């Protein structure tokens, strides 16, 4: 029997979980928002302006800090700034539904541009700052983005002359090239009024954000979300993050990933709380310093970060006063019971796991501050959501049997399409009535879900999702590489690391120098987080008769396990 930890918070906002599971309906909370009578909505308005209308304009909304900059913006400040940004986009003729990409390191300008684009009715496309040319190109090409906001340092990674749709590049900097489609963010903002007449009122089903994420077999997919998601961002931030008006919330994820928008922007601001954004890289000292200095009360991070903090010398944590923390949560990869025990030891708090995906848009299966938790389990579905373990035919499996983790369709934040790829979209819904996650899990007799693994080749490394196909495609473009297969190799700290098996072309040596060269090639072309930490040279790679690399066999080699059915393998 597994360990059960009793809830810590008697005043948590999710009360009567069992009863709400039976009675709650998403329509019940429409009346929270200003649009419910007109039907006209805008996510950015609900995140920011609504709190100014409610008399909370002076409340700090964003506290930004990095090594050289520290700024606070109230809701009133952000209302003005995001209105200016909306005017800027309008003046540059961004129309409703246009894709506006935001490609820059975390900074106040990132948050202002993203919300300003949404205010102007555009679909925002956040791009992680570490992406290099090829990764940037493929996403801008696929989405046919018209506009990008970026910094002068990142400009060289945008092959704009090859991107016919991209005709506005807004640079957050003082220097703007004379020739070409360039605009200065600061000049454009200065020339824009703070009035709210640039807000585009849209319908709940209009597009809001496009997040590119990796699959196992193709190029990254554009996961398309609509304004309707706000219902669930708002409510899960209450039930699961347990945000109250005076909380100081810190989500450590970058907005290039879905956690960094759904819960780094929308969830906290829909609830009117102070949102902490820290620029720069991870370091235990900086992170603890941030909690102490900002008096963070609710903290949302990922298992790899917790494991890295756990591995840091004890003296570091002892230097800081972390007593402001009230609630800690985790997402992105399995949360080991050992990490939960560490959290209890050092913070006196349970770390609460949450499960969801880019495609689901918001949390679905979670541990709640009001409910007992079982360390190692992802928890139970939120009210309004029915999840189950089903077999390949769609039959629900009894407790403790492993199968496909699936969710009954129809929750508010569910993706509405995969950009220009209906076939891919339909694959998720191949069993009528269900969304098939691609994760395998089981449910115990108390209704708790336990993650077991992915049933495709998607790699989750350090909480980030990477597709083997994008890396393999890039690897074979290197002059030395004849064939490449990429898998996730289990790793204690990072969950998985990326491992590449490579067959080289004639005339190339299996040398460490070549491994290094291949690694820096991937780093420069794709991104640092796509780099194979391990490379193993092979004479040939296992392939099907149609020439597809069999990653299943590579995994079996790696784990020293039987490779299963090899009847489709080409043995020449
Ligand atoms: C994995 C991140 C175990 C899972 C919000 C899923 C998890 C993929 C958990 C989605 C968890 C996410 N326990 N695994 N609590 N949360 N995952 O799209 O395999 O970046 O399918 O979304 O991460 O990753 P994505």
């Amino acid at each position: 029997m597994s360990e059960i930890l009793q809830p810590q918070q008697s005043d948590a906002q999710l009360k009567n979980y069992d009863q709400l599971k039976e009675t709650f309906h998403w329509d019940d909370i429409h009346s929270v928002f200003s649009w419910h009578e007109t039907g006209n909505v805008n996510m950015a308005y609900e995140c920011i302006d609504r709190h100014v209308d409610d008399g909370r304009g002076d409340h700090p909304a964003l506290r930004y800090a990095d090594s050289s900059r520290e700024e606070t913006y109230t809701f009133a400040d952000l209302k003005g700034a995001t209105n200016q940004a909306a005017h800027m986009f309008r003046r540059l003729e961004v129309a409703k539904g246009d894709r506006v990409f935001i490609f820059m390191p975390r900074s106040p300008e990132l948050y202002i541009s993203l919300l300003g684009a949404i205010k102007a009715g555009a679909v925002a496309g956040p791009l992680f700052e570490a992406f290099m040319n090829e990764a940037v190109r493929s996403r801008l090409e696929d989405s046919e983005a018209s506009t990008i906001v970026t910094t002068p340092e990142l400009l060289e990674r945008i092959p704009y002359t090859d991107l016919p749709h991209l005709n506005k590049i807004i640079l957050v900097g003082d220097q703007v090239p004379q020739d070409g489609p360039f605009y200065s963010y600061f000049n454009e903002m200065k020339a824009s009024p703070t009035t709210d007449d640039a807000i585009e009122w849209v319908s709940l089903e209009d597009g809001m954000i496009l997040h590119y994420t990796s699959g196992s077999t193709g190029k990254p997919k554009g996961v398309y979300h609509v304004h309707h998601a706000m219902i669930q961002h708002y409510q899960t931030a209450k039930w699961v993050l347990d945000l109250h008006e005076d909380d100081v919330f810190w989500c450590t994820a970058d907005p290039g990933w879905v956690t960094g928008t759904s819960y780094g922007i929308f969830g906290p601001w829909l609830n009117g709380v102070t949102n902490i954004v820290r620029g720069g890289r991870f370091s235990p000292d900086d992170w603890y310093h941030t909690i102490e200095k900002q008096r963070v009360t609710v903290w949302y991070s990922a298992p790899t970060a917790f494991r890295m903090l756990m591995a840091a010398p004890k003296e570091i944590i002892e230097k800081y006063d972390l007593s402001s923390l009230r609630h800690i949560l985790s997402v992105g990869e399995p949360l080991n019971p050992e990490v939960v025990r560490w959290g209890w030891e050092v913070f006196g708090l349970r770390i609460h796991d949450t499960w969801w995906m880019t495609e689901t848009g918001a949390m679905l299966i979670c541990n709640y501050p009001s409910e007992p938790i079982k360390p190692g389990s992802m928890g139970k579905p939120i009210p309004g959501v029915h999840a189950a373990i089903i077999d390949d035919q769609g039959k629900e499996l009894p407790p403790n049997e492993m199968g496909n983790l699936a969710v009954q369709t129809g929750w508010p934040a569910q993706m509405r399409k995969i950009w220009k790829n209906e076939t891919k979209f339909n694959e998720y819904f191949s069993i009528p009535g269900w969304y098939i996650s691609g994760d395998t899990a089981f449910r115990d007799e108390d209704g708790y879900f336990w993650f077991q693994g992915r049933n495709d080749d998607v790699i989750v490394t350090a909480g980030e999702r990477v597709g083997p196909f994008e890396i393999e495609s890039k690897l074979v473009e290197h002059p030395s590489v004849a064939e490449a297969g990429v898998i996730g190799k289990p790793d204690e700290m990072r969950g998985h690391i990326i491992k590449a098996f490579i067959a080289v072309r004639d005339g190339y040596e299996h040398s460490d120098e070549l491994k290094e060269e291949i690694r820096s090639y991937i780093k420069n072309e794709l991104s640092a987080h796509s780099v194979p930490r391990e490379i193993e040279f092979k004479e040939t790679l296992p392939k099907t008769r149609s020439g597809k690399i069999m990653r299943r066999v590579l995994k079996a080699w790696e784990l020293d396990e039987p490779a299963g059915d090899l009847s489709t393998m080409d043995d020449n």
Side-chain angles (χ1 to χ4, degrees), residues 213 257-259 300 303 330-335 353-360 365 378 437-439 451 453-454 458 460 463-465:
T213 192
W257 313 110
V258 73
T259 308
Y300 195 20
S330 170
V331 65
E333 25 164 353
L335 179 67
D353 196 11
T354 63
W355 177 87
W356 56 291
M357 304 172 66
T358 308
E359 293 87 336
T360 74
I365 297 178
M378 307 189 290
S437 67
D439 285 358
F451 178 84
R454 288 286 310 171
V458 165
V460 180
E464 280 161 11
R465 186 166 150 186

Side-chain angles (χ1 to χ4, degrees), residues 348-425:
L349 296 169
R350 317 280 188 215
I351 301 178
H352 291 66
D353 196 11
T354 63
W355 177 87
W356 56 291
M357 304 172 66
T358 308
E359 293 87 336
T360 74
M363 299 171 180
L364 291 180
I365 297 178
C366 305
N367 289 274
Y368 309 97
S370 55
E371 288 286 300
I373 65 175
K374 298 189 185 187
S377 156
M378 307 189 290
K380 299 184 283 188
I382 54 174
V385 161
H386 179 71
I389 305 299
I390 63 175
D391 67 13
D392 292 342
Q393 282 68 47
K395 190 168 76 67
E396 283 199 42
L397 296 174
N400 300 318
E401 267 187 47
M402 194 166 122
N404 301 301
L405 173 53
V407 184
Q408 265 178 15
T409 54
W411 67 93
Q414 184 180 312
M415 65 171 167
R416 296 301 196 266
K417 54 185 172 189
I418 298 283
W419 191 257
K420 291 199 310 195
N421 197 337
E422 211 177 319
T423 315
K424 266 271 167 293
F425 181 75

Side-chain angles (χ1 to χ4, degrees), residues 209-461:
I209 200 160
L210 190 61
H211 269 289
Y212 275 84
T213 192
S214 307
S216 51
T217 53
K219 291 240 172 234
K221 325 172 253 211
V223 177
Y224 178 83
H225 289 288
V226 298
H227 287 254
H228 204 154
M230 73 172 66
I231 301 279
Q232 196 173 346
H233 292 151
Y234 169 81
Q235 195 61 29
T236 49
K238 272 201 184 329
W239 281 336
V240 188
L241 301 175
D242 195 33
L243 295 180
H244 295 69
E245 274 193 353
D246 291 326
D247 271 316
V248 176
F249 174 67
W250 185 29
C251 167
T252 60
D254 187 276
W257 313 110
V258 73
T259 308
T261 58
S262 293
Y263 297 101
I265 298 179
F266 308 131
W269 279 338
L270 287 167
N271 281 278
V273 311
T274 304
N275 200 15
I276 301 301
V277 175
R278 181 166 173 92
R281 296 176 68 91
F282 170 87
S283 98
D285 262 305
D286 274 356
W287 277 36
Y288 290 138
H289 174 73
T290 299
I291 295 171
E292 176 182 80
K293 170 128 201 256
Q294 308 285 5
R295 307 293 300 153
V296 172
T297 58
V298 181
W299 183 30
Y300 195 20
S301 195
T304 294
F306 292 128
R307 285 190 293 260
M308 283 156 97
L309 292 172
M310 206 168 122
K314 262 212 166 68
E315 300 82 78
I316 298 187
I317 191 166
E318 283 164 1
K319 282 193 286 186
Y320 297 94
D321 171 8
L322 307 173
S323 60
S324 57
L325 286 170
R326 187 190 93 236
H327 187 30
I328 311 180
L329 303 101
S330 170
V331 65
E333 25 164 353
L335 179 67
N336 337 52
E338 196 191 343
V339 177
V340 178
R341 282 192 282 276
W342 166 80
W344 179 248
E345 210 178 282
V346 299
F347 306 111
L349 296 169
R350 317 280 188 215
I351 301 178
H352 291 66
D353 196 11
T354 63
W355 177 87
W356 56 291
M357 304 172 66
T358 308
E359 293 87 336
T360 74
M363 299 171 180
L364 291 180
I365 297 178
C366 305
N367 289 274
Y368 309 97
S370 55
E371 288 286 300
I373 65 175
K374 298 189 185 187
S377 156
M378 307 189 290
K380 299 184 283 188
I382 54 174
V385 161
H386 179 71
I389 305 299
I390 63 175
D391 67 13
D392 292 342
Q393 282 68 47
K395 190 168 76 67
E396 283 199 42
L397 296 174
N400 300 318
E401 267 187 47
M402 194 166 122
N404 301 301
L405 173 53
V407 184
Q408 265 178 15
T409 54
W411 67 93
Q414 184 180 312
M415 65 171 167
R416 296 301 196 266
K417 54 185 172 189
I418 298 283
W419 191 257
K420 291 199 310 195
N421 197 337
E422 211 177 319
T423 315
K424 266 271 167 293
F425 181 75
N426 291 336
E427 283 172 12
Y428 291 89
F429 305 98
S430 57
I431 299 176
W434 294 100
Y435 163 83
I436 315 290
S437 67
D439 285 358
T440 52
F442 68 86
R443 192 182 60 179
D444 69 17
E445 45 294 304
D446 299 325
Y448 285 75
F449 284 76
W450 299 76
F451 178 84
Q452 299 296 293
R454 288 286 310 171
N455 56 16
D456 60 15
D457 295 328
V458 165
I459 303 166
V460 180
T461 173

